[in-house]
Amino acid sequence: MEASVILPILKKKLAFLSGGKDRRSGLILTIPLCLEQTSMDELSVTLDYLLSIPSEKCKARGFTVIVDGRKSQWNVVKTVVLMLQVNKFSYNCS
């Protein structure tokens, strides 16, 4: 998948790889939820794209996901966490 195909979705900044690493050297993925309605389909496409960028070696270490729900409603945070749990094996997140 190329960035140009999903550029409008990426510009919404639904999620990002900060470049930081956790204690296991896994990459950190941040999902900053906001007051605006977050489309789960767009978030899923964004995650698929962002998690396809790192090398296989980095992917093998897994990812740490930070869901920042301070500016969002609890039901949105809960939905995102459940989506991540369902897709844990395809995303290799912890």
Side-chain angles (χ1 to χ4, degrees):
M1 178 183 311
E2 292 187 23
S4 61
V5 175
I6 62 166
L7 191 59
I9 297 172
L10 292 176
K11 285 184 177 181
K12 293 181 180 182
K13 299 179 182 176
L14 300 176
F16 61 89
L17 288 167
S18 64
K21 294 185 177 184
D22 62 13
R23 292 180 185 168
R24 305 169 317 195
S25 295
L27 298 176
I28 297 175
L29 174 74
T30 305
I31 303 173
L33 300 174
C34 59
L35 292 175
E36 300 168 8
Q37 184 65 25
T38 301
S39 166
M40 292 303 128
D41 291 333
E42 289 180 347
L43 181 59
S44 180
V45 168
T46 301
L47 291 176
D48 288 341
Y49 173 73
L50 290 176
L51 298 177
S52 71
I53 295 172
S55 68
E56 292 302 318
K57 185 177 178 181
C58 288
K59 288 180 189 178
R61 293 186 193 120
F63 298 87
T64 294
V65 180
I66 299 171
V67 179
D68 183 358
R70 293 176 290 178
K71 296 180 182 177
S72 184
Q73 296 176 346
W74 169 244
N75 61 343
V76 175
V77 175
K78 184 177 171 184
T79 302
V80 169
V81 170
L82 289 172
M83 181 184 77
L84 290 168
Q85 286 177 333
V86 168
N87 294 313
K88 180 178 180 182
F89 295 108
S90 61
Y91 292 143
N92 194 19
C93 299
S94 61

